[in-house]
Amino acid sequence: MNEENRKKREWVKSAAIVFLSVMLVLTFFSNTIMNYSLPEVATQMIMSGSITSKIRGTGTVESGDPYNVEVSESRKVTSVAVRVGDEVEVGDVLFYLEDKDSDELVAAEKNLAELKKAYDINILTGLDAALVSKVESGNVATVEEHKRIINNLKAKMDAAQKEVDNAQKALDDANAWVNALNFQISITQPANTDVSKQEIALNTAKAKLDKANLKLADAQEAYDRAVEVSGNDPAAILAAEQELEKAREEVENCTANVATCQTALDTAKFNAENAVLASEQAKANLNAQLPDAQLKAYVAQKTLDEKTKVLTECEAAYNDYIAMIPTEFDLVSQLEAIREQEALVEELRQSSVGATINAGISGTITALNVIAGQSTNPGSPAAVIQPAGQGYTLSISVTKEQAQRVSVGDPGELVNSWWYNDVQAVVASIRPDRNDPTKMKTITFNLTGEVTDGQSLSLSVGSKSANYDMIVPNSAIREDNNGKFILIVEQQSSPLGNRYKATRVDVQVLASDDTKSAITGGVYGWESVITTATKPVEAGQLVRLPD
Amino acid sequence: MKRLLGWMTKKRMILVISCAISVLVFLVLSGISSYLAEKQDSQMMAARWSDKGDVAQISCFLSQNKGLDEYAILNFEHKLDSDLVEASIVSESENENARLWADAYSATGKITMQSNQASVTVNAVGIGGDFFLFHPVTMKSGSYFSGNDVMKDYCIVDEETAWQLFGSNDIAGQYITIGGIPHIITGVYGREEGRLAKAAGLDSSQVFVSYETLSKYGMANKIDCVEIVMPNPVKNYAFNYVKENIGIDEGEMEVVENTTRYTTFSLLEELGEFGTRSMNGKAIIYPYWENIARGYEDILILMLVFRIMFILYPCVLLFISLVIAWKHKTWTTKSVFLLLKDKWDLLLEKLREKKRRKKSEKMV
């Protein structure tokens, strides 16, 4: 029991000693240990100073207002009298040219020859000589006149056609009349020349009379007989008398009939003769008219033929004229082309350049674009001269925000300026960039000093610097969703030494340049701001300063 | 105390101690997990931007086929402004210049820098917007620049590049030329080191330049990463907004919510994708910070698995012991109730006694 207790006490004692010693060590080194766990910060005092926000850009030097030496023809260059960089005076020879016609003149003359050839071919292939001379003398009618002539011809043609139609109609009428006459003649016949009926009637009547005479004779016989036979037979005698009377009557009737028929026959014969006479007369009349009618028809035919001939002539004239017009126009245009070409050739001849190209102004040659043996090109300058005393320019492209910091007249500095002697730059203009006018601007500088065309320079230009009371390095500015702030170091004394605490102060940034910013906020101006730290620092956290 | 010691047999002692160790390991692993997660500055923008937890950081990684250009991003920003106003999300800060959101974009490539002494060709990240708010790299000297600055000819180099170009670290303000155009070095930063960092793409020199510089004078792809920290009033608001309005087809981009990617829930989700996690069907090359974050995600998932195991063991034991205790319990509800009632009566009696005594004292 005692052993156990003793063992337990030993154990408790050693545990307590270990525990207390650890506590002691930790207490003594607590500050150091804590310090090691704190982030170490670098600080800087808030100062006053100036902010100059600069815009930088790089561009190529161009000579301002260069003078282009242009040659208006293509001529071959025999030798170049100057080099790039030479200074020339007015009238100095730049190029010697071959004394030949320029390429343009040669080409123009060739063209003219071809046009003339085409024209000659056209004329010789069977064209009307009158037309050719008319065209060459310039006596061509205008389009209006042509129209008028064509209309006239057409009118004539139409009139001729009308005449022909009329003549045709007249002929038809005349022919119709002749035919009518002939027809009339053919159908003219005497009417009623036929007496045969009456002759028959007469013969019948005569026959009847003969019969009646016979009957009478019979009846007379019969009476006589009756009288003879019957003697006093009154009835028989009466009857025979009656019969005899009847027969006598009959004979009388028939005789009368015969007489009538005879008369009728005579009348008919008489009429018939008259009719024949009449028809003969009529026929003779008609025949008398016939030659007239035939003559008329003949004349009408003749007229028709004439008119038809006239019509044909009018039509021919019209068609010829129509066919002539394109030929005329062709000739006219060909002639015009020839005249123009002749004028061009004349012009080229007159403005033909002499044997040399001279400098029009004095200055420095900055570019030579043709070498000996090449031909000059009228479209591009053969040489470029920088006028003496004129300046150089340089343009840089910047964003709109960057351009806002620059004004015309600001001086520019060269980046790495120690390389260049006395080069000065001044902002000459700020214009919208041609390639991207909505977002970019072009700043153009006027340069003086030793620069050459084509050199690449980097410039920086800034608005006049402004002074501010509180300036901190850019690395001191932090931001969260409560805006921008800085962390200042506040010193607190404590029994265990100085403690430093990071405190947040909200600020506004007024201006900034490449390395520092100007701020306003709840600071007096003598605080130390935290610029960098070994670990992220939060507001309210303890920090330590470097030793 | 004696009773407790009696109850504790050797077996039970071992179990209890192992439980305690298990819980301890669990706590340690959890601690390490959250430490690793918070070490990723690039993923912690939301915490830096607002300490109220109502913002979220969203990153959008675009495939090589499809990138964006600056104008697309400008349009997205304008749309975001008007949509926030429509949704009545306004800044509650007293500072009138406070911004509701901040964004950044970047593209990777190579660039050649020249100083008086040397010329180097290095990996480059072309940045736009407030890139360094999202990626507060450790500056050895000088300061950050921003894509919103007026001049776009700033750059930040790492120590190796600074050494090669100038022979020193303290070179803030020096000029170098890129593509014949002078640029200003605003600072020197220290590259992240470590196995993950090297594998993620930080194995050789790297510089940060403006996106304009990289696209004009260097070799670059289109913008392949867009990051934004913006208000997130409800869960997934920011994530869905960016996904729908960035203007890229879902098959050509990967959208990540950085703020919640290391929470237990997200890690569990990633664990669920165990087999398919390494498969990549989109032609997306992640920038180095995203590669590092993904590396840590893998590590944290592994830790989560162990944590679950280590907390499961004590929990199961506790559960079993409770079940056993219940089975062998000697008390019933009624007996407990009677006991309590007795105690209560006793207490009342004591109080009454006190009162009587006081009264009698007063009378005296």
Side-chain angles (χ1 to χ4, degrees):
Chain A
M1 193 60 163
N2 271 338
E3 275 292 323
E4 249 188 66
N5 281 350
R6 207 162 19 98
K7 267 199 183 146
K8 272 198 194 150
R9 268 192 298 225
E10 284 292 329
W11 181 83
V12 172
K13 230 188 344 187
S14 17
I17 289 173
V18 167
F19 181 68
L20 284 172
S21 50
V22 166
M23 282 288 104
L24 205 65
V25 165
L26 285 177
T27 313
F28 278 135
F29 289 106
S30 62
N31 214 20
T32 322
I33 291 171
M34 196 188 70
N35 266 352
Y36 275 128
S37 70
L38 293 178
E40 184 177 328
V41 297
T43 59
Q44 198 156 337
M45 296 273 286
I46 300 179
M47 296 184 295
S48 63
S50 61
I51 300 274
T52 322
S53 48
K54 288 206 176 282
I55 303 298
R56 285 175 293 279
T58 306
T60 320
V61 177
E62 297 163 346
S63 36
D65 200 15
Y67 178 86
N68 286 342
V69 176
E70 305 249 2
V71 183
S72 54
E73 302 175 346
S74 304
R75 295 276 295 277
K76 198 157 155 209
V77 172
T78 50
S79 76
V80 181
V82 291
R83 276 200 293 253
V84 174
D86 283 353
E87 296 205 8
V88 292
E89 303 287 328
V90 177
D92 283 353
V93 175
L94 300 176
F95 299 102
Y96 289 99
L97 303 173
E98 216 176 38
D99 201 1
K100 246 177 31 174
D101 283 342
S102 71
D103 292 344
E104 283 83 6
L105 183 56
V106 167
E109 284 179 340
K110 188 158 155 233
N111 210 4
L112 179 63
E114 296 217 338
L115 283 176
K116 279 203 170 140
K117 191 168 101 181
Y119 180 71
D120 288 339
I121 289 177
N122 207 1
I123 294 182
L124 290 173
T125 48
L127 272 189
D128 190 15
L131 176 62
V132 172
S133 63
K134 198 168 82 163
V135 168
E136 285 188 358
S137 62
N139 270 349
V140 250
T142 62
V143 173
E144 293 301 321
E145 284 173 11
H146 279 307
K147 258 196 203 160
R148 221 170 12 90
I149 294 177
I150 288 174
N151 283 342
N152 275 349
L153 286 176
K154 192 151 197 307
K156 273 201 187 137
M157 198 170 73
D158 289 341
Q161 179 71 49
K162 256 214 184 100
E163 300 263 313
V164 162
D165 291 340
N166 284 346
Q168 181 70 47
K169 189 158 173 299
L171 176 65
D172 288 340
D173 283 347
N175 279 341
W177 191 25
V178 165
N179 289 340
L181 278 180
N182 281 333
F183 179 68
Q184 275 299 104
I185 291 175
S186 67
I187 64 164
T188 305
Q189 299 269 3
N192 276 347
T193 50
D194 190 13
V195 296
S196 54
K197 239 179 26 192
Q198 279 81 359
E199 283 179 348
I200 292 173
L202 183 62
N203 289 339
T204 314
K206 275 188 179 160
K208 250 189 179 170
L209 182 58
D210 290 340
K211 243 194 210 167
N213 278 334
L214 284 175
K215 253 188 174 174
L216 183 58
D218 282 340
Q220 188 65 50
E221 241 182 82
Y223 184 64
D224 290 336
R225 241 184 302 113
V227 165
E228 274 188 44
V229 161
S230 37
N232 292 349
D233 194 349
I237 300 169
L238 197 69
E241 224 179 312
Q242 273 179 342
E243 283 302 326
L244 190 69
E245 231 25 74
K246 248 201 221 157
R248 276 194 191 127
E249 256 178 71
E250 192 68 41
V251 166
E252 274 173 33
N253 285 347
C254 286
T255 312
N257 213 15
V258 165
T260 317
C261 286
Q262 183 69 50
T263 319
L265 179 65
D266 290 338
T267 318
K269 271 191 175 161
F270 181 70
N271 281 346
E273 278 175 19
N274 279 347
V276 167
L277 271 176
S279 91
E280 297 284 300
Q281 188 68 38
K283 256 196 186 154
N285 278 349
L286 286 175
N287 276 330
Q289 286 179 5
L290 198 55
D292 257 349
Q294 283 174 336
L295 182 65
K296 253 201 177 148
Y298 178 74
V299 164
Q301 181 69 48
K302 272 273 179 287
T303 318
L304 179 63
D305 290 342
E306 260 176 46
K307 299 293 180 196
T308 310
K309 192 159 140 226
V310 167
L311 176 64
T312 316
E313 281 173 5
C314 281
E315 276 179 359
Y318 179 76
N319 286 338
D320 283 345
Y321 198 83
I322 297 281
M324 186 263 302
I325 290 198
T327 324
E328 185 184 289
F329 281 11
D330 264 348
L331 269 182
V332 166
S333 64
Q334 272 185 334
L335 205 58
E336 262 176 35
I338 289 179
R339 297 268 154 79
E340 270 175 28
Q341 195 66 21
E342 282 174 348
L344 180 66
V345 166
E346 193 53 45
E347 205 185 293
L348 284 174
R349 280 226 183 90
Q350 285 194 350
S351 68
S352 148
V353 173
T356 62
I357 307 275
N358 300 340
I361 60 158
S362 54
T364 319
I365 306 280
T366 53
L368 288 173
N369 295 333
V370 272
I371 58 175
Q374 278 184 338
S375 288
T376 59
N377 186 351
S380 63
V384 180
I385 301 181
Q386 175 64 31
Q390 281 276 25
Y392 292 89
T393 60
L394 182 142
S395 296
I396 59 175
S397 184
V398 297
T399 63
K400 270 194 168 156
E401 302 167 291
Q402 292 165 348
Q404 278 168 1
R405 296 198 174 172
V406 179
S407 359
V408 173
D410 285 347
E413 278 171 18
L414 266 70
V415 173
N416 298 339
S417 55
W418 53 85
W419 285 355
Y420 303 97
N421 289 338
D422 76 4
V423 174
Q424 313 271 0
V426 176
V427 175
S429 70
I430 305 173
R431 273 188 243 107
D433 192 334
R434 229 170 299 156
N435 296 336
D436 193 358
T438 48
K439 296 193 193 75
M440 304 290 279
K441 289 209 179 218
T442 304
I443 301 180
T444 309
F445 295 87
N446 278 341
L447 301 172
T448 52
E450 273 182 44
V451 289
T452 49
D453 202 16
Q455 201 179 3
S456 176
L457 289 178
S458 299
L459 293 174
S460 74
V461 56
S463 42
K464 293 192 189 41
S465 54
N467 285 330
Y468 295 94
D469 286 334
M470 290 190 279
I471 294 196
V472 293
N474 282 340
S475 51
I477 311 271
R478 292 149 213 282
E479 187 177 3
D480 70 357
N481 72 344
N482 280 324
K484 293 200 194 252
F485 63 96
I486 54 170
L487 291 170
I488 57 173
V489 174
E490 281 182 351
Q491 194 173 325
Q492 301 164 333
S493 0
S494 79
L496 291 167
N498 281 336
R499 295 249 179 280
Y500 302 99
K501 192 167 83 153
T503 313
R504 174 199 170 112
V505 178
D506 288 331
V507 297
Q508 314 271 11
V509 173
L510 299 172
S512 64
D513 67 10
D514 300 331
T515 48
K516 43 197 198 300
S517 306
I519 56 169
T520 56
V523 283
Y524 297 105
W526 40 259
E527 290 91 344
S528 303
V529 292
I530 297 179
T531 52
T532 54
T534 50
K535 281 184 273 190
V537 175
E538 277 179 43
Q541 208 179 352
L542 290 173
V543 297
R544 69 186 161 100
L545 299 177
D547 302 322
Chain B
M1 186 65 189
K2 267 211 164 92
R3 228 183 50 178
L4 195 61
L5 283 173
W7 171 78
M8 191 83 75
T9 60
K10 196 162 187 186
K11 184 167 144 203
R12 286 213 185 107
M13 172 117 25
I14 292 175
L15 282 176
V16 167
I17 291 181
S18 63
C19 266
I21 293 179
S22 197
V23 171
L24 206 65
V25 171
F26 167 77
L27 290 172
V28 165
L29 282 180
S30 304
I32 296 179
S33 278
S34 33
Y35 169 71
L36 284 178
E38 276 164 27
K39 204 164 74 119
Q40 305 298 306
D41 288 332
S42 300
Q43 312 297 318
M44 293 286 122
M45 180 60 193
R48 288 200 292 275
W49 190 249
S50 161
D51 42 15
K52 283 194 226 139
D54 54 354
V55 297
Q57 177 190 358
I58 310 288
S59 300
C60 218
F61 302 102
L62 310 170
S63 86
Q64 292 301 308
N65 307 330
K66 245 316 174 127
L68 285 176
D69 64 4
E70 297 127 291
Y71 302 116
I73 292 185
L74 217 62
N75 283 338
F76 174 71
E77 290 174 1
H78 285 142
K79 187 161 190 301
L80 178 61
D81 277 334
S82 56
D83 283 343
L84 284 175
V85 167
E86 258 183 51
S88 307
I89 300 174
V90 288
S91 172
E92 289 163 19
S93 163
E94 298 158 346
N95 191 341
E96 59 196 21
N97 288 340
R99 294 194 284 169
L100 269 179
W101 52 265
D103 68 352
Y105 55 89
S106 58
T108 47
K110 271 186 180 314
I111 205 157
T112 306
M113 290 183 160
Q114 248 178 329
S115 71
N116 292 339
Q117 299 165 248
S119 166
V120 292
T121 304
V122 290
N123 293 335
V125 178
I127 65 124
D130 291 304
F131 181 81
F132 294 105
L133 278 184
F134 289 82
H135 303 278
V137 293
T138 316
M139 296 304 288
K140 301 290 181 192
S141 77
S143 63
Y144 302 129
F145 64 95
S146 166
N148 295 330
D149 288 343
V150 171
M151 286 307 296
K152 310 281 180 200
D153 57 1
Y154 301 124
C155 54
I156 290 179
V157 300
D158 68 351
E159 292 169 290
E160 268 179 46
T161 314
W163 181 256
Q164 280 185 295
L165 289 174
F166 290 97
S168 157
N169 259 4
D170 196 7
I171 55 172
Q174 292 287 337
Y175 278 90
I176 45 117
T177 45
I178 297 179
I181 308 292
H183 284 69
I184 300 182
I185 296 185
T186 59
V188 176
Y189 79 101
R191 243 174 36 226
E192 230 179 290
E193 291 177 356
R195 180 183 72 100
L196 277 184
K198 286 212 169 69
L202 288 182
D203 51 348
S204 56
S205 294
Q206 180 176 274
V207 302
F208 292 99
V209 295
S210 69
Y211 178 69
E212 283 80 357
T213 299
L214 187 67
S215 51
K216 264 196 254 181
Y217 307 113
M219 295 179 283
N221 316 310
K222 286 195 186 183
I223 295 170
D224 56 22
C225 174
V226 179
E227 299 168 279
I228 184 167
V229 62
M230 57 180 274
N232 192 32
V234 295
K235 191 167 162 212
N236 280 338
Y237 173 81
F239 179 80
N240 288 332
Y241 185 85
V242 171
K243 202 160 162 190
E244 283 157 24
N245 290 295
I246 195 73
I248 302 276
D249 196 38
E250 231 186 287
E252 306 277 357
M253 70 168 176
E254 183 81 27
V255 182
V256 174
E257 183 168 344
N258 308 70
T259 319
T260 56
R261 80 191 302 174
Y262 293 131
T263 58
T264 311
F265 188 67
S266 300
L267 289 176
L268 279 173
E269 270 186 359
E270 302 269 340
L271 190 59
E273 291 173 10
F274 181 66
T276 56
R277 192 175 143 70
S278 304
M279 298 184 188
N280 189 359
K282 308 178 188 175
I284 298 180
I285 299 181
Y286 296 116
Y288 73 86
W289 56 87
E290 178 65 13
N291 278 334
I292 293 176
R294 287 182 174 240
Y296 275 107
E297 259 180 7
D298 284 343
I299 294 176
L300 289 178
I301 289 174
L302 194 62
M303 280 194 173
L304 184 68
V305 170
F306 281 122
R307 278 160 64 198
I308 290 175
M309 277 176 15
F310 278 113
I311 198 67
L312 210 59
Y313 173 63
C315 286
V316 165
L317 270 184
L318 190 65
F319 181 68
I320 291 175
S321 58
L322 278 176
V323 166
I324 293 175
W326 184 263
K327 279 215 177 121
H328 292 122
K329 69 174 165 49
T330 49
W331 47 268
T332 62
T333 334
K334 194 160 188 198
S335 69
V336 168
F337 177 67
L338 282 174
L339 183 69
L340 283 173
K341 192 160 178 294
D342 278 343
K343 287 229 163 108
W344 178 247
D345 285 338
L346 217 68
L347 195 67
L348 279 177
E349 191 59 47
K350 275 198 187 151
L351 280 173
R352 259 184 245 131
E353 200 50 59
K354 251 194 192 163
K355 256 198 207 155
R356 249 182 265 131
R357 231 183 290 140
K358 271 200 180 146
K359 245 193 196 161
S360 59
E361 273 175 15
K362 256 199 187 161
M363 277 195 339
V364 168

